[in-house]
Amino acid sequence: MKLFVESFGRSLNKFGEELCGDCTSVVRTPDSVIAVVADGLGSGVKANILATLTTRIASSMLKQGATVDEVVETLISTLPVCKVRELAYATFLIVQVFLDRGEAYLTEFDCPDVLFMREGHTIPIKKQERIVSGRTIKEARLSVRPGDTFVLISDGVIHAGVGGVLNLGWQWDNVSQYLEKVMAKERELPKVVTLLADVCHNLYMYKPGDDVTVLGLKVREAETVTLLAGPPEDVQKDAEVVQELLHAEGRKVVCGGTTAQVVSRISGRPLLTSLDFAAANVPPTAQIPGLDLVTEGVLTLTKALELIRKARAENVSWRDMVELNRADGASRLARLLLCQCTHLKVLLGRAINPAHQNPDLPRNLAIKLKVVEDLCSELKAFGKEVELKYY
């Protein structure tokens, strides 16, 4: 069984700074996922440049097959040491998950320990210290299985509230206990990460005294969603595309009233419509036996795209994520694609609905095509595997 690693991160800038002094990078190879969190010394532009340089060097070298020793040696020789404080200009944390082997390797350099969560509990990681180019790093190897979650944090998390709400800051053990409470009720990674970042923001009284970064990595089995949006341009291909949808693995979604009628006609399954509006600005959903979700087309897709973009925004909050729990079609679609999908296959029909626009306009200006393509781009940015097939 090949695993998939879902990732979601959120950062808070130090109060008064336009750039975050932390940086994250998640790169994927055919057999592994590499995540790097770096914290530049200080804050602002200089810290951002140094943290960005650290993550780019580390992720690029590991992706090309370099060893961790080579990465550490390169970083240490590239990034100077502050003469005043005698500290490295950037600290870093690296987690690499090997998908085929079900193993993970982590390296920590002068940063808070990674939080490893299994079945809602923090699992201690046995690490070894090693000297590389005169610097002490901690490293560990461990087995992983579906459901395991790594939470990578910068020191702005464990310093939250220091000198204000909390005399000594939040501390690592407090963060661990909070995550255990959260994950006892909430397992969807975007919500867990957002909640943790929001608590840090609250402890800083909305004026962070340090840059804050939380990057979550969740190991899970592949979950496939096949989405049919719009009927084919060629009516003769109606049966072909419907059969491809019905025989697909995983969850199945249809977006568009005309498309749902085509699926109902070809499959012989009834289309059960509803007039219940869960949200005033989103059309109601329908049902077709054997399908997981049937929604209206352009309006619902556009609203779902807005929700997914909001989840990627720098200032996303827990209140924004709660919108995914609503019962309307757009929220259900956004949550399905964002939280319950690792591999998305989109069957996109090129037929143009005259109700949406002037059919004489070029195809690349079609609203539906543009919305679906943007949706696919956003999901790729989340690390989803996306296949877009036109009909």
Side-chain angles (χ1 to χ4, degrees):
M1 174 188 65
K2 190 168 183 178
L3 302 174
F4 183 87
V5 177
E6 176 187 12
S7 65
F8 189 88
R10 188 180 170 209
S11 294
L12 303 174
N13 298 358
K14 181 179 177 179
F15 182 71
E17 299 288 352
E18 294 187 8
L19 294 176
C20 183
D22 302 335
C23 185
T24 66
S25 176
V26 179
V27 298
R28 300 174 185 271
T29 70
D31 59 356
S32 72
V33 174
I34 304 161
V36 183
V37 173
D39 182 358
L41 184 64
S43 59
V45 176
K46 182 180 75 173
N48 176 269
I49 292 173
L50 294 167
T52 301
L53 183 61
T54 300
T55 57
R56 296 297 182 266
I57 291 175
S59 58
S60 298
M61 290 185 66
L62 289 171
K63 186 176 182 179
Q64 297 301 320
T67 65
V68 172
D69 285 23
E70 292 172 331
V71 172
V72 174
E73 290 172 0
T74 301
L75 289 173
I76 291 174
S77 61
T78 302
L79 302 178
V81 174
C82 177
K83 294 181 180 180
V84 177
R85 286 176 271 190
E86 295 185 351
L87 296 172
Y89 267 118
T91 63
F92 57 85
L93 169 59
I94 300 170
V95 174
Q96 184 170 12
V97 180
F98 298 93
L99 305 176
D100 293 327
R101 305 203 304 261
E103 294 179 358
Y105 172 80
L106 67 91
T107 304
E108 298 172 352
F109 173 56
D110 201 22
C111 60
D113 294 343
V114 65
L115 294 127
F116 179 55
M117 314 297 294
R118 174 173 286 173
E119 296 180 354
H121 299 285
T122 306
I123 305 299
I125 300 177
K126 186 177 181 180
K127 303 168 190 171
Q128 295 180 339
E129 291 189 353
R130 195 158 58 85
I131 305 297
V132 179
S133 296
R135 307 297 170 83
T136 301
I137 67 168
K138 298 178 183 178
E139 60 183 0
R141 296 184 184 274
L142 62 156
S143 298
V144 295
R145 64 193 189 199
D148 289 350
T149 303
F150 294 91
V151 180
L152 290 62
I153 58 176
S154 65
D155 57 8
V157 175
I158 59 175
H159 293 161
V162 65
V165 177
L166 302 172
N167 288 335
L168 300 176
W170 203 10
Q171 302 298 309
W172 191 91
D173 289 338
N174 303 127
V175 178
S176 171
Q177 292 168 8
Y178 176 76
L179 280 175
E180 288 182 345
K181 291 180 181 179
V182 169
M183 297 186 72
K185 299 180 180 180
E186 183 59 73
R187 296 298 180 91
E188 294 179 353
L189 187 64
K191 297 177 182 177
V192 172
V193 169
T194 304
L195 272 171
L196 180 54
D198 277 0
V199 170
C200 292
H201 210 190
N202 292 338
L203 291 174
Y204 278 120
M205 294 183 287
Y206 304 101
K207 294 182 178 181
D210 194 4
D211 300 299
V212 173
T213 291
V214 181
L215 176 62
L217 303 173
K218 184 174 182 179
V219 181
R220 55 192 294 187
E221 296 179 9
E223 293 186 82
T224 302
V225 172
T226 301
L227 186 152
L228 173 58
E233 183 178 34
D234 184 356
V235 178
Q236 301 299 321
K237 292 189 175 181
D238 283 359
E240 177 186 341
V241 70
V242 170
Q243 291 303 317
E244 184 170 356
L245 171 70
L246 297 179
H247 290 89
E249 296 182 1
R251 296 181 174 89
K252 305 171 181 63
V253 178
V254 171
C255 295
T258 303
T259 311
Q261 292 175 10
V262 171
V263 173
S264 176
R265 172 173 55 82
I266 298 296
S267 66
R269 303 176 186 182
L271 172 60
L272 309 175
T273 58
S274 171
L275 295 179
D276 294 331
F277 284 80
N281 60 342
V282 180
T285 59
Q287 293 180 350
I288 295 179
L291 301 186
D292 297 274
L293 182 61
V294 180
T295 75
E296 181 273 340
V298 171
L299 294 177
T300 301
L301 286 166
T302 300
K303 182 62 178 178
L305 176 60
E306 291 176 2
L307 293 173
I308 291 174
R309 280 177 170 163
K310 185 181 294 185
R312 285 196 64 217
E314 293 183 359
N315 60 347
V316 62
S317 68
W318 167 246
R319 292 182 179 180
D320 297 324
M321 301 303 295
V322 167
E323 291 190 38
L324 299 177
N325 294 333
R326 294 178 179 175
D328 63 273
S331 299
R332 291 173 61 189
L333 178 60
R335 183 183 179 192
L336 178 66
L337 297 178
L338 190 60
C339 302
Q340 301 168 358
C341 169
T342 63
H343 293 70
L344 173 65
K345 183 175 184 179
V346 178
L347 309 177
L348 181 55
R350 292 180 181 270
I352 296 178
N353 189 334
H356 297 158
Q357 63 174 61
N358 183 342
D360 295 329
L361 291 175
R363 280 199 187 92
N364 60 0
L365 294 181
I367 297 175
K368 176 188 64 182
L369 299 186
K370 176 62 175 173
V371 170
V372 173
E373 288 168 353
D374 287 350
L375 187 66
C376 291
S377 297
E378 292 292 330
L379 292 171
K380 286 180 180 178
F382 272 110
K384 312 289 185 183
E385 298 287 338
V386 180
E387 177 186 355
L388 180 56
K389 191 173 181 180
Y390 294 92
Y391 278 93

